[in-house]
Amino acid sequence: MSKRIYIDLLHKLEVDHELQGSQRTTAREVLGLTLYILAQGGSIRLAKERFQHSTETISRYFSKGLTSLLLLFAEVIKPMDPQFREIPAEIRSDARYMPFFKDCVGAIDGTHVDARIPVEDQVRYIGRHDTTTQNVMAVCDFNMCFTFALAGWEGTAHDSRIFARALGDNRLNFPHPPQGTQINIFKII
């Protein structure tokens, strides 16, 4: 990440998403240690050595940094047009696709992502290849921008189960088309 992007992200999180430091730790350091743990796959113990703070301090500030990033996530990962009023130009201008995809609002697929899980919880997260994974479902529009993501499912949950949960739980803010719109579901193979 470039310095400019880091500073812009820091400013956005401080102003809009309540990222704060303390008397001993700046917001810049909170973001730095949060990104360090997320990007490097590092542990609290490694961050403790790197940033020279106690385990409790690293854990507390990682939690604060993660909370701010999740608030940003909800602002960024969403449909450009939440009412889905426009048919994407790629479909509208191609007679081969128009009859079939005119009401399509995006594509959904799931994948497994390696996960670091506490030893006592690892059995629930073991996937088909005997590694700990989380099942992640993502939705993107025709501009290849993510409009929804749901992570954290244990092990080998089926895509349709995750999709049903996303549709049924209003707290997840799944982007629903307007009332009365027919929903056709296509899975990427």
Side-chain angles (χ1 to χ4, degrees):
M1 177 181 296
S2 72
K3 184 177 178 181
R4 179 79 247 152
I5 291 174
Y6 182 84
I7 298 298
D8 288 347
L9 176 61
L10 176 63
H11 179 72
K12 176 80 172 161
L13 292 176
E14 285 178 316
V15 171
D16 296 340
H17 302 292
E18 306 165 4
L19 181 67
Q20 301 173 11
S22 68
Q23 292 176 343
R24 297 174 141 178
T25 307
T26 65
R28 175 183 257 172
E29 189 174 16
V30 171
L31 179 58
L33 74 87
T34 302
L35 293 177
Y36 173 78
I37 292 171
L38 292 174
Q40 301 296 320
S43 64
I44 300 291
R45 184 176 295 137
L46 289 174
K48 173 185 167 183
E49 293 299 318
R50 172 88 177 178
F51 291 90
Q52 296 295 300
H53 290 294
S54 70
T55 304
E56 190 272 331
T57 300
I58 295 292
S59 180
R60 184 169 9 102
Y61 285 118
F62 175 67
S63 179
K64 285 183 177 190
L66 195 55
T67 299
S68 291
L69 287 172
L70 287 172
L71 291 170
L72 177 65
F73 166 85
E75 180 183 314
V76 173
I77 308 279
K78 64 181 184 182
M80 299 282 261
D81 175 17
Q83 297 300 314
F84 302 105
R85 288 180 283 247
E86 295 213 11
I87 298 172
E90 297 88 348
I91 294 173
R92 191 176 52 241
S93 63
D94 195 329
R96 295 175 301 167
Y97 299 136
M98 183 61 176
F100 305 104
F101 295 105
K102 66 179 174 13
D103 294 324
C104 188
V105 296
I108 297 174
D109 199 10
T111 188
H112 287 271
V113 176
D114 288 339
R116 288 188 170 193
I117 307 295
V119 174
E120 61 273 9
D121 296 328
Q122 284 184 355
V123 171
R124 295 188 332 232
Y125 288 87
I126 293 177
R128 292 188 313 217
H129 302 289
D130 295 328
T131 60
T132 53
T133 65
Q134 288 184 352
N135 204 325
V136 178
M137 181 185 77
V139 180
C140 66
D141 62 16
F142 290 95
N143 295 321
M144 299 305 292
C145 294
F146 287 104
T147 59
F148 181 79
L150 178 60
W153 278 76
E154 302 169 355
T156 58
H158 194 275
D159 290 345
S160 62
R161 183 174 168 211
I162 299 169
F163 182 60
R165 165 92 193 287
L167 284 176
D169 190 341
N170 291 333
R171 294 173 298 162
L172 297 175
N173 296 320
F174 186 83
H176 293 280
Q179 201 71 353
T181 305
Q182 179 181 346
I183 299 176
N184 296 318
I185 300 169
F186 297 94
K187 182 180 177 341
I188 297 174
I189 299 175

